[in-house]
Amino acid sequence: MIEVIGVTKEFDGTEALQNVQMHVKKSSIYGLLGTNGAGKTTLLKILAGIYKQDSGKVHINGVSIFENVNMKNKVIFLADIPYFFSHYTVRQMANYYKSMYEAWNEERFQMLHNIFTLDATQKIHRFSKGMQRQVAFWLALSSMPDVLILDEPFDGLDPVIRKKVKNLIVQDVAEREMTVLVSSHNLREVEDFCDHIGILHKGKILFEKELDDLQSNIHKVQVAFKGEDPEALLQPFHVLYSEKRGSVTLMIVKGEKADILKHIQQLNPILFDVLPLSLEEIFVYEMGDTGYAVQNIMV
Ligand SMILES: Nc1ncnc2c1ncn2[C@@H]1O[C@H](COP(=O)(O)OP(=O)(O)OP(=O)(O)O)[C@@H](O)[C@H]1O
């Protein structure tokens, strides 16, 4: 269980994080979403014990991570640009990880060679960007962390490796209760992979929810009436967006599907549909509702 309580962080007058609250359940895959500069990397680096927060608390399994060697042994952070010692081969880097991480599993490292088919005797800096990313996952997954923190992790991986890496992570979550925190701009990826979502905006967590809850509480409504729309149409709901297309009104509405159906049906529409939103659409509308300048995109 990861708990972030009232965390703030400032860089030279820029408030990167403001009173951030966040809760990540053990053995969940938590997707941290946010616009550029929202503070995702800063938060992940605090969670990994790389940065120290100015105020607030960060607990992993009840203990603080900053300058806590025991806890750092159980947490692996994969930065958006992987870092390796220059001129080290994969094997040399693996030996370094082996000396650093108590839970290092040599058998697994050998087994993962079937997936990451890279030459372990090669110097890592000679590999392509995607191959270096593979090495980072190879080392991380062989270290058997309790918590895996990933900053924009899948960039540069080809689709086959991407799928295999995700399967390995999901397997670790299921089999040994690893907890995963992943930041991404790729909402489709997060939608497929995560079970919890947190949205960070201008240094603050807007909300965090189980993905299933998030998707069940916002809907796209298409409705048309004979003549003008009834005044009562929008009244009971929080409408994030509304647009008229000919006689059809398109709305993005917060609320339970059953309540929306019940309310609108009793207004006798001549056309009526309630559709689910993709996570990408939810993100755009939730951000729009907070005043973030997103174009009104009706997908
Ligand atoms: N080392 C630093 N020194 C000064 N300012 C920083 C530093 N790191 C981050 N910031 C500032 O803190 C804010 C949050 O940055 P951060 O990198 O955490 O955002 P992000 O959500 O990861 O962004 P992106 O999605 O663009 O990578 C930004 O305004 C950034 O300029």
Side-chain angles (χ1 to χ4, degrees), residues 11-12 14-16 34-43 51 80 151-152 185 200:
F11 296 104
D12 309 322
T14 304
E15 277 196 296
T35 48
N36 285 132
K40 300 179 298 295
T41 299
T42 306
L43 182 55
Y51 287 163
D80 49 352
D151 196 358
E152 294 282 342
H185 293 287
L200 195 61

Side-chain angles (χ1 to χ4, degrees), residues 53-119:
Q53 66 274 21
D54 298 335
S55 61
K57 288 184 181 147
V58 176
H59 287 160
I60 300 182
N61 295 338
V63 297
S64 164
I65 178 153
F66 191 74
E67 291 181 346
N68 181 339
V69 177
N70 279 343
M71 186 45 74
K72 281 195 172 180
N73 212 291
K74 299 181 169 76
V75 177
I76 295 241
F77 173 65
L78 250 71
D80 49 352
I81 300 164
Y83 173 79
F84 306 104
F85 297 138
S86 57
H87 302 288
Y88 263 43
T89 64
V90 177
R91 185 62 255 182
Q92 284 170 325
M93 206 66 214
N95 288 343
Y96 173 74
Y97 270 61
K98 199 172 174 175
S99 69
M100 289 290 292
Y101 293 99
E102 278 170 14
W104 174 268
N105 185 329
E106 184 63 30
E107 210 178 307
R108 189 164 208 220
F109 178 74
Q110 299 300 340
M111 188 276 285
L112 289 178
H113 208 171
N114 297 324
I115 288 173
F116 304 110
T117 51
L118 302 166
D119 179 356

